[in-house]
Amino acid sequence: MTPRPPLVIIGLDGATFDILDPLIARGQLPTLARIAQTGWRTELLSTLPPATLPAWTSFLTAASPGHHGLVDMFLPLVPSYDLRPVSGAMRRLPTLMGTLAARGLAIASLGVPGTYPPESLPHGLCISGFDAPGVARANRASVTPSAWWPELKRLGGWRYATFNELSRKHHREDQIAQALLGDLDAKERVALSVLNMQHWDLFFVHLQASDTAAHHLWHTFDPHSPRARVALPSQRDLLPSVYRRLDDLIGKLLAAAGPNARVLIISDHGMGGASRVAIHVNRLLCELGLLHFQPPSRRALTDLASRALGTIIARAHPTLVGAALRHLPAAASRRVLRHARGEALDYGRSQAFSYELDYAPSIWLNRASTFSHGMLTDAQADALVPQIRAALFELRDPETGTPLIQDVVTRDHYAAGAASSTAPDLLIEPALLNGYRP
């Protein structure tokens, strides 16, 4: 019996047509150009928030974050205020891979976010995404079947981090690009080896380099970026070089999959440049009388702890950071995360607060039904929403007077579903300032 043609899904994290189209027009992405010409392409809306784990999990489950449960990248471990990273362990619905595997199909899943712990695929294998414990690369607990772990090690492993992005040390742009190109070389070895191992009904590989490259190198590619500097031609080519390597890798994967393979290339969210304007949500809440910082003496100790932890994290190799957090007790690792962020809030006197996560700014109301030091009934919390929304919409760019906030969405709308109560009360969508995000 002739095997069915494989479906090859390639996830380009944070990829955007704002980069793809100019490079295709210049003839630099021949594989993606051919796919775009012979197939079908479109822009899709991402999830709210437009972040990696909520979005990829929506793709995996065909459900919104409020239903599948991964409503953000980090969430408090209530009733405490300690942040914890979100993982696939919190997912409430089965994935595409698990559903197909249960029907007897052969599945390979490589590095897809939201897949830790790795699913047991009777006729396949799974390498978890970066929500697996540790920072630098997949470990034994991230792989099924466990018997395949030695082979993955022989191939060089599956990397999650190519350099320490938490470092306060300035990374040279050319070093970032070289690190990402080296990571793609490593992923190519693993991906091609798995693809050639047997016939797969579904082969799904996730590639993070497009996202990391754009975060760190956008200003070298976009001459209109507020953060752009006068760049040498070699610097202007750094971001395109990563996309060219992705295009080359995609070409090799499709050649190995065969001429009858069906192909889906998808991204979880878009990408863009940053403005030079910053919004400090907690400062606004403090001015409204809804938030209080710690007293100066206690805040000084928090700042000292933050600087010390920040220095350690910044100077450590990603492997050491991951190992330390993995072997610390859970409560201790969560406190490390809080202190490293320099948190200095007095929760016992605050009605609202933000963790000020820049990828998706949000506000939590300090509900007694949720938090250990909660001071608001649910009715009181809901009554604060109009005041906070109005204050956010009043924020203006100090130089131009342009509004800084496009929308403020309640969790009943952006995270409707069984997991709604686990999401922040308000999600803030910053307005673009001449096309660039605060």
Side-chain angles (χ1 to χ4, degrees), residues 221-354:
F221 175 75
D222 177 6
H224 304 293
S225 167
R227 303 189 180 198
R229 302 189 301 268
V230 176
L232 299 172
S234 59
Q235 291 175 309
R236 291 195 293 270
D237 192 53
L238 293 175
L239 183 55
S241 72
V242 175
Y243 267 75
R244 287 197 300 272
R245 182 65 181 89
L246 286 164
D247 185 84
D248 176 66
L249 174 51
I250 293 169
K252 292 178 180 178
L253 291 172
L254 298 188
N260 296 322
R262 297 160 294 172
V263 182
L264 174 62
I265 299 176
I266 189 169
S267 180
D268 53 340
H269 56 75
M271 185 61 66
S275 73
R276 289 194 171 275
V277 176
I279 302 172
H280 297 281
V281 178
N282 282 336
R283 186 178 301 172
L284 171 66
L285 294 173
C286 183
E287 292 172 355
L288 293 174
L290 301 177
L291 176 144
H292 293 273
F293 292 101
Q294 294 174 354
S297 58
R298 187 175 176 188
R299 192 170 182 180
L301 290 174
T302 300
D303 290 344
L304 180 62
S306 171
R307 287 194 296 271
L309 285 167
T311 299
I312 294 170
I313 292 172
R315 294 182 178 179
H317 188 276
T319 303
L320 298 179
V321 176
L325 292 177
R326 190 164 59 247
H327 291 98
L328 281 173
S333 66
R334 292 192 295 272
R335 292 190 192 102
V336 166
L337 182 59
R338 281 179 58 190
H339 283 299
R341 294 180 54 257
E343 185 177 296
L345 307 184
D346 187 342
Y347 290 107
R349 299 168 59 219
S350 297
Q351 299 178 63
F353 63 92
S354 174

Side-chain angles (χ1 to χ4, degrees), residues 84-255:
R84 60 173 173 174
V86 166
S87 76
M90 305 173 193
R91 191 180 61 245
R92 299 171 180 233
L93 298 173
T95 68
L96 166 71
M97 292 85 75
T99 300
L100 294 178
R103 298 182 180 183
L105 276 66
I107 311 295
S109 174
L110 308 183
V112 181
T115 58
Y116 182 84
E119 294 185 82
S120 177
L121 305 174
H123 305 287
L125 60 85
C126 177
I127 304 173
S128 293
F130 64 71
D131 51 312
V135 174
R137 62 181 64 229
N139 56 33
R140 182 184 294 272
S142 309
V143 177
T144 56
S146 58
W148 191 68
W149 166 246
E151 175 63 9
L152 178 60
K153 286 207 308 182
R154 186 190 70 79
L155 291 169
W158 188 268
R159 303 179 185 181
Y160 298 134
T162 52
F163 59 95
N164 188 350
E165 294 188 67
L166 300 177
S167 173
R168 295 172 183 172
K169 176 183 176 182
H170 175 69
H171 292 287
R172 280 175 35 192
E173 287 92 348
D174 60 333
Q175 293 174 333
I176 292 172
Q178 286 303 313
L180 293 172
L181 294 174
D183 177 55
L184 289 172
D185 290 343
K187 284 186 166 56
E188 178 181 296
R189 286 194 297 272
V190 177
L192 287 177
S193 177
V194 172
L195 188 53
N196 290 319
M197 184 186 301
Q198 65 173 71
H199 171 79
W200 300 106
D201 296 299
L202 170 62
F203 177 87
F204 190 171
V205 60
H206 171 268
L207 302 171
Q208 183 68 25
S210 42
D211 179 275
T212 306
H215 276 302
H216 292 275
L217 302 175
W218 187 282
H219 65 284
T220 67
F221 175 75
D222 177 6
H224 304 293
S225 167
R227 303 189 180 198
R229 302 189 301 268
V230 176
L232 299 172
S234 59
Q235 291 175 309
R236 291 195 293 270
D237 192 53
L238 293 175
L239 183 55
S241 72
V242 175
Y243 267 75
R244 287 197 300 272
R245 182 65 181 89
L246 286 164
D247 185 84
D248 176 66
L249 174 51
I250 293 169
K252 292 178 180 178
L253 291 172
L254 298 188

Side-chain angles (χ1 to χ4, degrees), residues 26 49 54 58-59 77 89 136 139 149 175 177 199 208 226 231 330 365-366 374 402 429:
R26 297 174 198 169
S58 286
F59 177 75
L77 184 62
N139 56 33
W149 166 246
Q175 293 174 333
H199 171 79
Q208 183 68 25
L365 299 172
N366 201 9
T402 304
E429 293 187 65

